[in-house]
Amino acid sequence: MITIQLSTQSPYRMEADVLVLLTHHARKQGILRGLDKRLDGHLSDQFQREEFEAKDGQKLSCNTLGKIEAPRLLLVGLGEKDDDMPQFRKAAASSIRAVKNWKPTSLAIAFAQSPKNLGPTIEGLALGAWLASYHFNHYKSGDNHDSPLKDLTLLLPARTSAAVRNDLEATLHRVRILAESIITARDLVNEPPNTLTPTELANRAEEMAAKVGLECDIFGPSELREWGMNLFLAVSVGSVEEPRLIHMRYIPKGRRKRKNAKVLALVGKGVTFDSGGLSIKPTSGMVGMHADMAGAAAVFGAIQAIAQLKPTIEVHCFIGATENMTGAAAYRINDIVKGYNGKFVEIKNTDAEGRLVLADTMAYAANQGVTEIIDVATLTGACLVALGPWTAGLMSNQQSMADNLLEASHSTGESIWQLPLIEELRPTLKSHTADLANVGGRYGGAITAGLFLREFVPEDLHWTHLDIAGPSFADKDLHHISKGGTGFGVTTLVQYTMKQK
Ligand code: BES
Ligand code: ZN
Ligand code: ZN
């Protein structure tokens, strides 16, 4: 990760390969006027020639001809909107991407107008810069693939007090923890399925847990068999790779646990490769199915951050890790399998495997003394069809919990949209021979998946389901989001958790 520091150095005297100046307008005031003077009016000329109006995302670059310390200047428009965290995250990310071809090793970002609220501004800039400079290069040979950018300095207004400066240093520290956790999630998603097996995912969980001080237990096929987690097992038996149930715990220290205290469970779908099983996917649908553990990656990243940010509530993370393959022992269509909570499920499609893994993992989580569950999963193509690739679907059995999660997503800028658990669709999950089937009808696939999951959560337990099939993976870079695994969900889960008491 690049180094980010704060400074009150004058932008004119800042030694950096590129000076980025963020501005809401193109009027010759303050530093814009100072720069124009130093550049002998060259800046005004260029504003006119390139019709630079500082619209949101508009950019203008020029050589500073030795008139200020930095050899290059990049102006980035912020538009007229009020300042908020996502706006600065986008500005920093697009600056990082814009200067890429100049191969700078150092960058400074300054403000043409003092931001109204420095906290969210610094948070946005740092997060945007860290996330936009992420690349998954582990398997690119040669050393030409790393960006040379090493240092970013965020230039604070000269009058910033020592107290404010201290607060901002703390913000930067918190944002770094968050960015690292998002990057952890991206790395897990981007890792190919031949290296990131269920066993490897469990190894990485153990390693991470030891590093940040989480308790961690890993279970394999013998425990799953002993406990009757047969739905989870059914998915795994078609693979030579063993399944793993990963359980990590954050227990707040030094506080006596209140009676009725909230205990949150984050449950992740960790299908490290989804071939579809015997209901095999065509190649075009199978491409990208190494990312079918993005829900697991999101809860993994979230609890990594939570361990360091230390919320007041207790948080558990459960990951059901398995492959969905077509080996000789693979589960079949029409198999009837008894789940951990005692319900019988008729398998009608082996490609609807995520809900089977989650059903048992959530029922198990519910038995570990937790008071609410959030599950995160790349569960259905139908959710992608319904909401598009940038938005997650949310379903819940408790509206105030859903509202809190939606509110968290508004502040982090992750796009999440609630879908209704329509009761009229419940009969489509009926089976002739078992308690229920693992797929519903042709329509409303994201919702029937949600209705299926609901059957495995005790009714009195608050539960919210996030279907991240779309936003967990990006086909192209967009602002702070980079192509490939996005780490979607980490920041909203962390934000939600930090607000709980
Ligand atoms: N992992 C897929 C869902 C998915 C699709 C995630 C595209 C990301 C991108 C899931 O296991 C699956 O195959 N779901 C089926 C369900 C169907 C058989 C009811 C689907 O969406 O087609
Ligand atoms: Zn599937
Ligand atoms: Zn899947």
Side-chain angles (χ1 to χ4, degrees):
M1 271 166 65
I2 58 174
T3 306
I4 302 185
Q5 64 225 348
L6 305 175
S7 165
T8 46
Q9 171 69 286
S10 143
Y12 305 122
R13 263 175 266 137
M14 181 66 212
E15 279 182 44
D17 293 340
V18 184
L19 173 67
V20 177
L21 193 61
L22 306 177
T23 182
H24 284 287
H25 59 71
R27 293 189 287 281
K28 268 189 286 164
Q29 293 168 356
I31 184 171
L32 284 181
R33 188 177 144 155
L35 275 169
D36 194 41
K37 255 197 192 153
R38 282 177 167 75
L39 294 169
D40 306 322
H42 183 67
L43 206 55
S44 321
D45 290 351
Q46 232 181 321
F47 277 11
Q48 265 197 345
R49 223 176 313 126
E50 301 194 16
E51 297 181 6
F52 181 80
E53 294 165 17
K55 285 186 194 145
D56 185 19
Q58 201 180 7
K59 294 185 188 64
L60 183 147
S61 70
C62 67
N63 197 301
T64 60
L65 307 166
K67 311 279 175 142
I68 63 170
E69 230 20 89
R72 267 182 197 274
L73 176 65
L74 175 72
L75 279 138
V76 176
L78 293 169
E80 279 165 14
K81 268 198 313 187
D82 268 351
D83 302 340
D84 63 9
M85 187 283 281
Q87 185 187 19
F88 284 102
R89 183 174 60 191
K90 179 172 149 191
S94 75
S95 305
I96 296 273
R97 298 196 192 284
V99 302
K100 208 171 79 190
N101 288 339
W102 303 334
K103 301 199 187 314
T105 61
S106 59
L107 207 66
I109 300 182
F111 311 102
Q113 303 88 31
S114 285
K116 285 202 189 84
N117 204 339
L118 271 173
T121 303
I122 294 303
E123 177 174 348
L125 290 176
L127 197 55
W130 271 319
L131 295 181
S133 52
Y134 169 82
H135 299 282
F136 183 73
N137 285 339
H138 301 332
Y139 300 97
K140 295 264 194 194
S141 2
D143 45 23
N144 260 341
H145 302 284
D146 277 335
S147 150
L149 183 61
K150 294 279 172 295
D151 292 300
L152 168 63
T153 307
L154 304 177
L155 295 177
L156 303 172
R159 291 183 310 273
T160 309
S161 71
V164 169
R165 173 84 186 256
N166 272 342
D167 284 353
L168 294 175
E169 295 285 0
T171 300
L172 200 58
H173 177 69
R174 184 170 54 76
V175 175
R176 190 187 167 94
I177 289 170
L178 193 59
E180 281 170 349
S181 306
I182 295 169
I183 285 170
T184 298
R186 289 182 179 182
D187 277 342
L188 290 172
V189 172
N190 289 332
E191 192 67 33
N194 55 334
T195 55
L196 196 88
T197 58
T199 305
E200 174 62 14
L201 183 56
N203 290 344
R204 293 204 188 185
E206 261 183 329
E207 228 172 81
M208 182 275 280
K211 214 187 224 159
V212 300
L214 291 166
E215 294 176 22
C216 179
D217 291 313
I218 311 284
F219 307 107
S222 55
E223 287 95 350
L224 300 186
R225 242 178 269 129
E226 186 187 324
W227 300 335
M229 297 177 79
N230 302 311
L231 292 169
F232 185 168
L233 277 168
V235 175
S236 77
V237 288
S239 168
V240 292
E241 292 293 338
E242 285 190 354
R244 289 289 181 269
L245 173 64
I246 303 166
H247 180 189
M248 292 185 268
R249 283 178 300 280
Y250 160 76
I251 303 191
K253 290 227 176 65
R255 281 183 217 104
R256 178 95 68 67
K257 198 165 160 187
R258 275 182 296 123
K259 239 187 161 176
N260 307 325
K262 251 189 199 170
V263 180
L264 170 64
L266 303 174
V267 177
K269 169 179 173 182
V271 175
T272 60
F273 188 70
D274 182 10
S275 71
L278 292 176
S279 312
I280 196 164
K281 290 177 184 291
T283 304
S284 60
M286 213 184 290
V287 171
M289 281 302 131
H290 66 295
D292 209 18
M293 35 56 70
V299 298
F300 187 117
I303 203 158
Q304 177 181 323
I306 285 164
Q308 300 168 81
L309 299 173
K310 306 198 189 304
T312 52
I313 63 160
E314 182 174 324
V315 184
H316 294 231
C317 163
F318 299 88
I319 292 173
T322 176
E323 282 190 335
N324 185 25
M325 301 291 275
T326 58
Y331 72 141
R332 311 157 194 81
I333 311 284
N334 296 126
D335 277 358
I336 295 179
V337 183
K338 186 180 180 185
Y340 178 83
N341 80 341
K343 290 193 184 179
F344 287 99
V345 177
E346 182 188 3
I347 307 304
K348 288 202 168 153
N349 190 321
T350 63
D351 198 10
E353 84 299 339
R355 62 194 73 184
L356 301 173
V357 175
L358 285 175
D360 273 353
T361 308
M362 288 205 296
Y364 178 82
N367 246 349
Q368 309 305 311
V370 306
T371 62
E372 62 176 47
I373 296 183
I374 301 175
D375 80 83
V376 191
T378 48
L379 206 61
T380 66
C383 198
L384 246 161
V385 173
L387 299 175
W390 303 106
T391 304
L394 176 151
M395 285 149 261
S396 180
N397 67 0
Q398 221 268 334
Q399 194 54 41
S400 68
M401 184 186 180
D403 288 340
N404 288 337
L405 207 54
L406 289 167
E407 194 183 308
S409 77
H410 295 146
S411 68
T412 61
E414 288 192 317
S415 176
I416 302 183
W417 195 256
Q418 186 169 12
L419 300 174
L421 286 165
I422 294 174
E423 294 304 333
E424 285 77 0
L425 284 171
R426 176 60 185 81
T428 65
L429 287 169
K430 279 189 177 159
S431 157
H432 202 56
T433 45
D435 293 323
L436 73 168
N438 77 328
V439 291
R442 199 156 126 71
Y443 301 115
I447 294 171
T448 50
L451 288 167
F452 180 90
L453 293 180
R454 193 179 65 177
E455 297 292 320
F456 297 87
V457 183
E459 262 175 45
D460 55 347
L461 205 64
H462 296 175
W463 157 72
T464 302
H465 160 56
L466 289 178
D467 190 334
I468 60 165
S472 60
F473 201 83
D475 291 333
K476 59 172 176 43
D477 292 337
L478 181 71
H479 313 315
H480 64 290
I481 299 168
S482 56
K483 190 173 162 143
T486 60
F488 187 94
V490 173
T491 92
T492 300
L493 292 173
V494 172
Q495 173 74 10
Y496 173 86
T497 306
M498 296 310 290
K499 288 257 149 122
Q500 301 297 307
K501 280 192 222 56

